[in-house]
């Protein structure tokens, strides 16, 4: 096995989560600079540039200048091979953003120091918690006026319910930003703006005990504040405990400024020291160890129209064990078919590279003739197991769909079902009637536009969407034991069913959910749908 094990163990696969504008893209770019993938930096997202980043697979993305889809970036740093799963940066993210987290072993959470925890971070964080994945926090934009450091940490603890452990500590912010204090080495690293350089630049590193030098470098006032804060911090913050970090109960926190390239490499090094090699994954026969098993993977995302000319679909897989060899045959478990994966590729920013091999921890995209579904397992022909499915995440926006031309019923149903199978939208029906009434649920409202656009362009069907006031959907966990018709809901509650016939409840606000649960003591509701 030798080399194989070494290759797997040097892999680190993580997702970056943040609220739009916190600096996720800037941080990713800086990571890439350290890895020598300089040609990629700047192409991660080209908001202001002509080079339209990550993906311009769909016209909608081009028109709006945003990235609807996620992408994967791979780079080398030291001896590590790092896979970054980028998630769409726009407010209108989709279920794919959530699913991306299912393919990562850890997450980096970027927070804007002047804002603290924001809405999108909160949502993505919930998914991390559900999977107990370790979270590493980078508090960004310290070169701008920031909120009080203790307050920021408190915000994370209260809002997200996770303990924090500062790895370093900022000295001032905005115009008064002097650098960070590294708690482990007890050294101060002075701030230097190296935005234009490619590497972290001429920062000085001085032991905090050298008080006179410290005072000279950062000023007496800043030094006094720092010394006070260190004392407070050592008394008040959670002890560093790697086990707790790995269980997702404690988040290490670093401060810096991605734009000026300060604190990024320090963060990257700490992160790589603490994060894990590719983790074992749960399958129906138990945990599958990445090193001890031959090739296996699961599909976490399906992307249509990667290439407009060919109307193709690409299935993204996370390799969970062993080595992928493009010449070998594999088994698609759900389709019960032995096959060769077609055109395996690595999707990097706007480039695609055909692969001949890849290892556990890596993400590959393969051409999908329409056979894969999200959550499917691929393994060696002789192996017989399936990975745990990916949950369905609760949409937050709902609309009733009507066809303009009722003669095109068939195309309409085919189109909407196919788009739903790719996981871009979820479709529901009235509980007691058939397909006449279709309700579409999406995680981000942009998906409504994507749906309309795709139905028109690919299926030649025009639709009208009528927004519905619901914001919450709940799966009924124990629907087999309950008479759905007898649930005593609030007046705004609506009963629907998904395409598999599972009953669900729609609510206008969270208060109604609580009320319904109060009125039906034996009802068990869930935010995540399971296969
Ligand atoms: P996102 O991917 O999380 O949405 O954020 P992105 O990196 O695009 O950053 C959002 C804005 O914040 C950008 O400015 C970026 O230059 C700025 N920014 C990122 N990190 C820092 C930082 O450490 N300090 C400061 N002061 N600003 C930072 P923009 O003007 O909106 O975008 P652009 O026109 O420069 O692309």
């Amino acid at each position: 096995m030798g080399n194989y094990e070494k290759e797997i163990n040097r892999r680190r696969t993580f997702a970056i989560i943040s609220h739009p504008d916190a600096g996720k893209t800037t941080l990713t770019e800086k990571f890439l600079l350290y890895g020598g993938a300089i040609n990629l930096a700047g192409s991660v997202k080209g908001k202001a540039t002509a080079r339209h980043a990550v993906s311009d697979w769909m016209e909608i993305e081009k028109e709006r200048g945003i990235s609807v889809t996620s992408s994967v970036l791979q780079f080398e740093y030291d001896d590590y091979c790092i896979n970054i799963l980028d998630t769409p940066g726009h407010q209108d993210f989709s279920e794919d953003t959530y699913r991306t987290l299912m393919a990562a072993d850890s997450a980096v959470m970027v927070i804007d120091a002047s804002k603290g925890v924001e809405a999108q971070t909160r949502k993505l964080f919930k998914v991390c918690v559900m999977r107990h994945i370790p979270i590493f926090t980078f508090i960004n934009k310290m070169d701008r006026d920031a909120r009080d450091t203790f307050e920021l940490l408190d915000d994370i603890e209260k809002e997200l319910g996770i303990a924090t452990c500062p790895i370093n500590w900022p000295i001032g912010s905005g115009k008064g930003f002097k650098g960070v204090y590294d708690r482990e080495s007890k050294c101060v690293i002075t701030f230097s703006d190296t935005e234009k350089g490619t590497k972290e630049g001429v920062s000085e590193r001085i032991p905090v005990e050298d008080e006179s030098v410290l005072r000279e470098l950062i000023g007496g006032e800043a030094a006094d504040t720092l010394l006070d804060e260190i004392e407070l911090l050592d008394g008040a913050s959670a002890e560093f405990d790697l086990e707790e970090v790995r269980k997702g109960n404690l988040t290490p926190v670093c401060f810096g400024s991605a734009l000026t390239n300060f604190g990024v490499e320090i963060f990257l090094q700490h992160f790589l020291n603490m994060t894990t090699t590719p983790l074992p994954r749960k399958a129906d026969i138990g945990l599958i160890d990445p090193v001890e098993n031959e090739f296996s993977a699961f599909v976490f995302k399906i992307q249509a129209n990667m290439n407009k000319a060919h109307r193709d679909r690409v299935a993204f897989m996370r390799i969970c064990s062993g080595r992928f060899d493009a010449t070998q045959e594999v088994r698609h478990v759900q389709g019960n078919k032995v096959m060769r994966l077609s055109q395996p590729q690595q999707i990097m920013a706007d480039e695609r590279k055909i692969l001949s091999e890849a290892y556990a921890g890596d993400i590959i995209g393969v051409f999908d003739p329409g056979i894969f579904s999200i959550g499917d397992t691929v393994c060696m022909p002789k192996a017989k197991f399936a990975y745990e499915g990916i949950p369905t995440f609760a949409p937050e926006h709902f609309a009733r769909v009507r066809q303009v031309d009722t003669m095109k019923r068939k195309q309409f149903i085919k189109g909407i079902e196919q788009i739903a199978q790719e996981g871009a939208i979820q479709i529901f029906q009235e509980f007691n009637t058939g397909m006449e009434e279709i309700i579409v649920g999406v995680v981000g409202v942009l998906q409504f536009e994507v749906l309309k656009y795709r139905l028109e362009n690919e299926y030649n069907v025009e639709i009208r969407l009528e927004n519905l006031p619901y914001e919450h959907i709940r799966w009924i966990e124990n629907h087999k034991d309950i008479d759905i018709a007898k649930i005593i809901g609030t007046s705004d509650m609506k009963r629907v069913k998904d395409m598999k016939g599972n009953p669900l409840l729609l609510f206008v606000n969270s208060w109604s959910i609580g009320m319904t649960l109060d009125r039906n003591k034996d009802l068990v509701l869930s935010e995540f749908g399971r296969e």
Side-chain angles (χ1 to χ4, degrees):
M1 219 175 251
N3 198 20
Y4 196 95
E5 184 172 347
K6 205 174 134 215
E7 278 300 331
I8 295 175
N9 285 337
R10 71 188 196 96
R11 271 153 169 86
R12 299 290 184 276
T13 304
F14 66 94
I16 300 203
I17 62 176
S18 75
H19 193 78
D21 279 342
K24 182 169 60 79
T25 313
T26 312
L27 185 68
T28 309
E29 285 182 2
K30 299 293 149 91
F31 281 163
L32 296 178
L33 284 177
Y34 293 113
I38 292 166
N39 56 336
L40 282 177
S43 71
V44 177
K45 185 176 71 178
K47 243 198 242 173
T49 62
R51 222 182 137 195
H52 250 296
V54 182
S55 59
D56 52 2
W57 298 313
M58 290 182 64
E59 290 299 318
I60 283 189
E61 297 191 30
K62 270 197 210 152
E63 278 164 21
R64 295 265 205 107
I66 53 164
S67 162
V68 181
T69 43
S70 343
S71 87
V72 185
L73 304 158
Q74 189 180 58
F75 70 99
E76 305 247 342
Y77 178 81
D78 273 355
D79 256 345
Y80 297 101
C81 175
I82 300 163
N83 293 304
I84 303 186
L85 295 159
D86 187 20
T87 46
H90 194 266
Q91 214 133 9
D92 280 329
F93 64 97
S94 69
E95 245 191 291
D96 270 348
T97 319
Y98 290 142
R99 287 191 198 111
T100 300
L101 288 172
M102 309 304 280
D105 294 311
S106 62
V108 165
M109 173 163 80
V110 186
I111 286 179
D112 182 331
S114 68
K115 303 207 167 116
V117 176
E118 294 174 86
Q120 190 158 316
T121 316
R122 214 171 288 135
K123 285 187 200 169
L124 291 165
F125 182 84
K126 261 195 206 168
V127 181
C128 296
V129 170
M130 179 182 81
R131 288 201 48 224
H132 304 287
I133 72 172
I135 295 167
F136 299 85
T137 306
F138 184 77
I139 300 195
N140 191 30
K141 303 200 187 180
M142 290 308 299
D143 60 305
R144 291 234 184 111
D145 288 341
R147 282 174 56 186
D148 175 73
T149 315
F150 286 105
E151 230 179 80
L152 278 167
L153 297 180
D154 210 40
D155 191 37
I156 297 175
E157 304 211 349
K158 289 215 177 89
E159 282 263 358
L160 306 177
I162 185 171
T164 58
C165 178
I167 298 299
N168 57 33
W169 191 258
I171 306 165
S173 72
K175 288 205 172 69
F177 184 49
K178 305 283 187 200
V180 291
Y181 164 68
D182 181 60
R183 294 180 70 200
E184 194 186 43
S185 63
K186 299 199 187 323
C187 280
V188 164
I189 301 151
T190 57
F191 174 58
S192 67
D193 178 346
T194 54
E195 183 188 356
K196 291 180 187 71
T198 54
K199 290 264 171 179
E200 220 150 281
V202 277
S203 286
E204 295 206 40
R205 196 182 176 98
I206 40 158
V208 75
E209 337 172 302
D210 276 350
E211 251 194 79
S212 57
V213 186
L214 182 72
R215 283 179 192 283
E216 208 173 292
L217 272 177
I218 67 170
E221 206 179 315
D224 284 339
T225 313
L226 174 68
L227 294 171
D228 282 352
E229 287 184 339
I230 292 175
E231 208 174 307
L232 260 175
L233 182 65
D234 289 344
S237 83
E239 287 267 321
F240 180 75
D241 180 341
L242 192 57
E243 268 307 294
E244 287 298 291
V245 172
R246 297 223 165 133
K247 281 190 213 151
N249 296 332
L250 177 69
T251 179
V253 182
C254 282
F255 294 82
S257 156
L259 185 67
T260 59
N261 208 7
F262 179 78
V264 174
E265 193 167 22
I266 309 173
F267 174 66
L268 184 61
Q269 284 164 346
H270 278 294
F271 168 71
L272 291 170
N273 275 336
M274 293 180 213
T275 185
T276 62
T277 55
L279 292 172
R281 295 260 157 175
K282 238 192 221 161
D284 52 2
I285 55 164
L287 281 180
I288 305 292
D289 184 273
V291 172
E292 277 161 25
N293 291 277
E294 288 191 280
F295 167 75
S296 70
F298 73 90
V299 178
F300 67 94
K301 168 184 155 97
I302 292 173
Q303 173 76 50
N305 293 340
M306 294 276 285
N307 181 343
K308 260 207 105 184
H310 300 103
R311 252 206 198 194
D312 60 353
R313 260 167 65 145
V314 169
F316 285 81
M317 301 180 181
R318 146 91 195 209
I319 303 180
C320 300
S321 64
R323 171 176 177 268
F324 168 70
D325 173 348
T327 62
Q328 270 175 348
E329 291 201 309
V330 296
R331 171 188 300 279
H332 171 217
V333 175
Q334 281 72 9
N336 198 20
K337 237 190 175 156
V338 172
M339 58 195 283
R340 213 164 260 133
L341 294 177
S342 178
Q343 302 169 23
Q345 51 200 289
Q346 198 181 357
I347 317 280
M348 293 174 50
D350 49 4
E351 284 159 37
R352 296 203 237 172
K353 197 171 87 188
I354 296 289
L355 290 169
S356 54
E357 61 163 18
Y359 294 89
D362 290 342
I363 310 296
I364 55 170
V366 304
F367 173 73
D368 172 22
I371 57 169
F372 293 114
S373 291
I374 285 163
D376 281 4
T377 300
V378 175
C379 55
M380 294 307 278
K382 288 207 179 102
K384 280 205 175 72
F385 63 83
Y387 283 107
E388 247 189 358
I390 293 183
T392 312
F393 299 96
E396 291 173 23
H397 307 275
F398 299 86
R400 191 169 280 129
V401 196
R402 294 195 200 281
Q403 290 161 258
V404 173
D405 179 356
T406 47
M407 298 297 281
K408 291 188 180 159
R409 188 78 191 157
K410 250 196 182 148
Q411 287 106 297
F412 169 64
I413 298 292
K414 186 174 155 211
I416 206 160
E417 280 185 352
Q418 274 184 4
I419 296 169
Q421 190 201 353
E422 288 161 19
I425 55 160
Q426 289 179 42
I427 44 182
F428 307 99
Q429 292 164 253
E430 294 277 342
F431 192 65
N432 292 318
T433 58
M435 277 304 261
E436 305 83 58
E437 276 262 290
I438 293 186
I439 294 171
V440 176
V442 295
V443 168
V445 284
L446 185 67
Q447 295 302 320
F448 283 142
E449 269 178 65
V450 174
L451 172 70
K452 206 163 181 303
Y453 179 89
R454 290 193 54 192
L455 281 174
E456 268 167 39
N457 281 271
E458 293 168 36
Y459 300 90
N460 202 16
V461 176
E462 209 183 319
I463 56 160
R464 218 171 274 134
L465 290 161
E466 186 189 309
N467 288 334
L468 294 170
Y470 306 103
E471 284 181 10
H472 305 272
I473 190 162
R474 291 291 180 269
W475 279 265
I476 302 170
E477 292 259 303
N478 57 340
H479 62 91
K480 291 197 176 99
D481 312 323
I482 270 190
D483 184 349
I484 309 294
K486 289 206 176 125
I487 294 173
I488 311 161
T490 47
S491 58
D492 63 340
M493 188 188 86
K494 186 174 178 69
R495 295 170 179 83
V496 292
K497 60 185 176 196
D498 65 16
M499 296 315 288
K500 292 185 186 123
N502 296 316
L504 300 104
L505 302 176
L506 286 175
F507 298 95
V508 170
N509 54 45
S510 52
W511 178 86
S512 303
I513 305 175
M515 203 60 198
T516 305
L517 282 169
D518 269 355
R519 288 177 182 167
N520 304 270
K521 293 290 180 209
D522 50 353
L523 186 64
V524 185
L525 300 178
S526 162
E527 250 182 277
F528 304 107
R530 294 188 187 281
E531 295 295 299

